[in-house]
Amino acid sequence: MTTQYSICELNTDNIFDISDELWQKNCQEKQLLLRYLAVPVKEDESKLWLAIDDENNLNALEMFAFMVNKQIEPVLVASDELKYLLNALSPERNQLYEVNELIYGQQSLASNSDEPINRSDPIIQLLDNLFKFCLSKNASDIHIEPRKEKLIIRLRIDGVLHIYKTLSHTLTNRVVSRIKLLAKLDISETRLPQDGQFNFTTALAETLDFRVSTLPTSYGEKIVLRLQKNKPTHFDFLTLGFTNEQQATLLNALKQPQGLILVTGPTGSGKSITLYTALSHLNQTDKHILTAEDPIEIEIDGLIQTQVNRGINLDFSQLLRTFLRQDPDIIMLGEIRDEESAKIALRASQTGHLVLSTLHTNDAPSAIERLTKLGIQEYEIRNSLLLVVAQRLVRKLCNKCLGKGCDDCYQGYKGRIGVYQCLSRPPFAKEFEKQTGCLDFETLLDSAKQKIAENQTDLTEVERVLGYA
Ligand SMILES: [Zn+2]
């Protein structure tokens, strides 16, 4: 007689949440489990929940029903989850997450893969679609957020978070476990933050890398997946959104043998890429360029790049002092953040070095106030300051649909462009005066309005970024 089995969804517990007792039993029976391709994951007095990857695996169900004399509840899991679980069975339970034969790419988007994709597993399908969507929309981060009654997946596209899907909270454990499994994290550890990474291969044989970070919250573990993108290799001021005039101003400042060039704006306003573009322009064989960064974001051949390390007290100031003994022509300091780094940067820029750095200020003119507050004398600023660039990133209107929204973009936007304000020392002027400095746009908003007039972005987006209009 054949019993009818209906597949059971283990919603509240994930399949890796096996009791120690059952785990030990499974280890002793590993050979049997391998033969029947089934793993008991939960047990009570009358029932045994059995993980299988094929609902037609009646052999296993019948065998276990006979062996344990309990009602069997089949739990359908993905083949790779089952394989992983079987591989991991060892009396030393903490080895569980070190053995990982999974390479997600082999069964993800690769259309010519030898292994069949288990399309029937809703979680795999969900993540597959999610990753495909991220690729097509060039998303930078995926947020998996358990809320009180929902699981929300949000994506950051061109710097803005959007809701991708709202799911039932009952899926939380499966989705979270699946990602933790891919990232080789300890699935049984849910109270401490963890981080890891994994990669997968697309149908076009592109390998994509994800950084994974988990955070225990009141409603479960929140996960952020950060897509590691290909770093830019080509640097161009006009592509970044500088106007022709602004490019000329920048190139003029970069030609100077000594002085200070500052790029200002909040975190995420694209200051680094502006600095890298300037450095790649200066990157000639007859120049000695040293950088102090936190962290090194892009490696450029020809530059000598160093990274601050607070753990051993190697901070910006320490690096900068060492730089001055290394005979540099050009110094890039990731950030002027305190009085000490400000003073050393100013001194370097007055003693035959071109110094590039960043400051956190809202616009270009406030950079001077900020330096003054950091204890720099006005005459020093006049002597050394060459140029201040203030900047923000705004989303670009999609070329194809001009903001209406199409398959090629997300809500009418595609990619981002910089909006810049330059405060520069007038050509041939020996000193920099706030009054006599050339300010190309009165405000960043004026600069942004030009981008609106050129149909590169729109008012809604500019108001979102600049907050006033
Ligand atoms: Zn479009």
Side-chain angles (χ1 to χ4, degrees):
M1 191 194 90
T2 307
T3 323
Q4 276 297 84
Y5 291 98
S6 60
I7 297 293
C8 155
E9 272 278 351
L10 253 197
N11 281 333
T12 46
D13 304 299
N14 72 58
I15 62 154
F16 302 96
D17 206 7
I18 303 173
S19 72
D20 283 341
E21 197 188 334
L22 187 56
W23 184 269
Q24 294 306 332
K25 222 191 281 180
N26 285 344
C27 290
Q28 285 162 15
E29 290 166 353
K30 187 170 177 178
Q31 288 313 314
L32 185 80
L33 305 186
L34 280 167
R35 177 146 31 100
Y36 283 95
L37 292 173
V39 180
V41 290
K42 192 179 165 187
E43 193 174 28
D44 66 15
E45 274 159 22
S46 58
K47 286 184 190 170
L48 179 80
W49 284 261
L50 190 67
I52 50 173
D53 66 344
D54 175 1
E55 54 189 320
N56 298 315
N57 186 0
L58 292 175
N59 266 349
L61 303 177
E62 302 287 337
M63 201 282 296
F64 275 89
F66 173 73
M67 207 169 72
V68 299
N69 199 21
K70 283 181 183 177
Q71 187 189 328
I72 303 295
E73 295 277 354
V75 179
L76 192 64
V77 300
S79 297
D80 52 12
E81 283 173 324
L82 185 70
K83 213 192 309 175
Y84 179 74
L85 200 50
L86 283 164
N87 279 332
L89 284 177
S90 98
E92 287 302 316
R93 200 163 171 182
N94 56 12
Q95 288 177 4
L96 174 55
Y97 305 107
E98 290 168 12
V99 197
N100 190 350
E101 299 184 339
L102 284 182
I103 298 167
Y104 190 65
Q106 289 178 353
Q107 37 88 43
S108 168
L109 301 178
S111 57
N112 54 355
S113 164
D114 295 337
E115 265 186 67
I117 299 168
N118 187 353
R119 291 284 176 202
S120 61
D121 185 289
I123 304 299
I124 292 194
Q125 204 167 43
L126 172 81
L127 292 178
D128 231 43
N129 291 339
L130 171 64
F131 294 155
K132 274 186 206 166
F133 187 80
C134 286
L135 258 181
S136 70
K137 301 301 177 192
N138 205 18
S140 58
D141 305 82
I142 303 171
H143 293 239
I144 311 235
E145 307 172 338
R147 306 274 177 94
K148 196 171 182 187
E149 280 156 354
K150 289 177 285 212
L151 175 67
I152 294 182
I153 302 182
R154 295 197 291 173
L155 307 177
R156 193 178 292 280
I157 301 170
D158 293 330
V160 182
L161 272 177
H162 304 276
I163 290 185
Y164 169 73
K165 259 188 173 63
T166 303
L167 303 165
S168 154
H169 191 64
T170 55
L171 287 170
T172 302
N173 283 341
R174 296 287 316 271
V175 172
V176 167
S177 298
R178 174 81 197 150
I179 293 169
K180 286 170 77 175
L181 177 69
L182 292 170
K184 303 184 181 79
L185 301 180
D186 181 346
I187 292 176
S188 63
E189 178 57 77
T190 57
R191 294 163 307 170
L192 289 173
Q194 296 183 64
D195 49 64
Q197 59 189 78
F198 68 93
N199 58 55
F200 76 122
T201 308
T202 70
L204 297 170
E206 270 181 295
T207 299
L208 291 156
D209 294 315
F210 284 103
R211 285 276 159 81
V212 182
S213 159
T214 74
L215 177 72
T217 72
S218 47
Y219 298 118
E221 285 176 285
K222 176 184 189 292
I223 294 194
V224 175
L225 300 164
R226 175 154 279 199
L227 188 55
Q228 303 296 111
K229 293 209 186 118
N230 292 335
K231 301 283 165 66
T233 50
H234 176 76
F235 302 95
D236 176 56
F237 288 120
L238 297 180
T239 316
L240 294 181
F242 284 95
T243 64
N244 286 315
E245 295 77 21
Q246 288 173 331
Q247 177 177 246
T249 305
L250 259 154
L251 295 181
N252 183 52
L254 293 172
K255 254 193 286 185
Q256 306 307 313
Q258 72 168 33
L260 179 65
I261 297 175
L262 290 173
V263 183
T264 78
T267 305
S269 57
K271 299 189 294 284
S272 305
I273 194 78
T274 299
L275 284 183
Y276 281 120
T277 305
L279 289 175
S280 75
H281 182 83
L282 294 165
N283 191 8
Q284 317 279 341
T285 49
D286 62 344
K287 294 273 193 280
H288 181 201
I289 307 177
L290 289 171
T291 77
E293 307 178 50
D294 184 20
I296 296 173
E297 289 176 46
I298 303 173
E299 286 176 358
I300 299 179
D301 190 32
L303 310 185
I304 316 288
Q305 296 173 277
T306 67
Q307 186 161 324
V308 302
N309 186 339
R310 289 196 182 77
I312 54 168
N313 283 330
L314 186 62
D315 58 9
F316 281 126
S317 309
Q318 175 68 39
L319 276 169
L320 207 46
R321 274 194 295 269
T322 310
F323 283 3
L324 295 178
R325 296 193 284 270
Q326 288 269 329
D327 183 31
D329 297 297
I330 295 153
I331 293 171
M332 191 270 260
L333 177 66
E335 189 189 340
I336 292 179
R337 60 174 75 185
D338 52 27
E339 194 172 330
E340 197 182 7
S341 53
K343 287 195 165 149
I344 308 173
L346 261 288
R347 196 192 312 149
S349 69
Q350 290 163 1
T351 51
H353 311 98
L354 187 64
V355 178
L356 289 79
S357 190
T358 71
L359 263 186
H360 276 263
T361 65
N362 276 333
D363 60 7
S366 358
I368 295 174
E369 283 159 46
R370 178 97 183 103
L371 285 177
T372 316
K373 278 193 184 139
L374 285 171
I376 307 299
Q377 301 297 317
E378 258 186 53
Y379 76 90
E380 292 180 284
I381 299 174
R382 280 205 305 274
N383 279 339
S384 52
L385 195 59
L386 296 171
L387 168 70
V388 184
V389 178
Q391 68 175 84
R392 295 291 188 283
L393 291 177
V394 296
R395 285 180 294 169
K396 265 199 308 196
L397 286 177
C398 168
N399 284 334
K400 247 188 185 170
C401 66
L402 289 174
K404 290 181 186 70
C406 69
D407 282 349
D408 216 36
C409 64
Y410 196 72
Q411 296 181 348
Y413 299 105
K414 190 175 185 185
R416 285 190 289 176
I417 194 165
V419 171
Y420 306 91
Q421 179 193 36
C422 295
L423 176 65
S424 55
R425 182 190 290 195
F428 311 114
K430 283 223 171 71
E431 291 195 338
F432 188 100
E433 293 279 2
K434 195 174 167 187
Q435 292 77 15
T436 57
C438 293
L439 192 60
D440 61 350
F441 288 101
E442 200 56 43
T443 62
L444 268 167
L445 180 63
D446 293 331
S447 174
K449 278 180 183 162
Q450 186 174 320
K451 294 273 186 289
I452 298 174
E454 290 164 357
N455 264 334
Q456 301 215 56
T457 187
D458 62 11
L459 188 61
T460 320
E461 174 61 7
V462 166
E463 283 182 335
R464 182 186 73 79
V465 173
L466 289 171
Y468 53 84

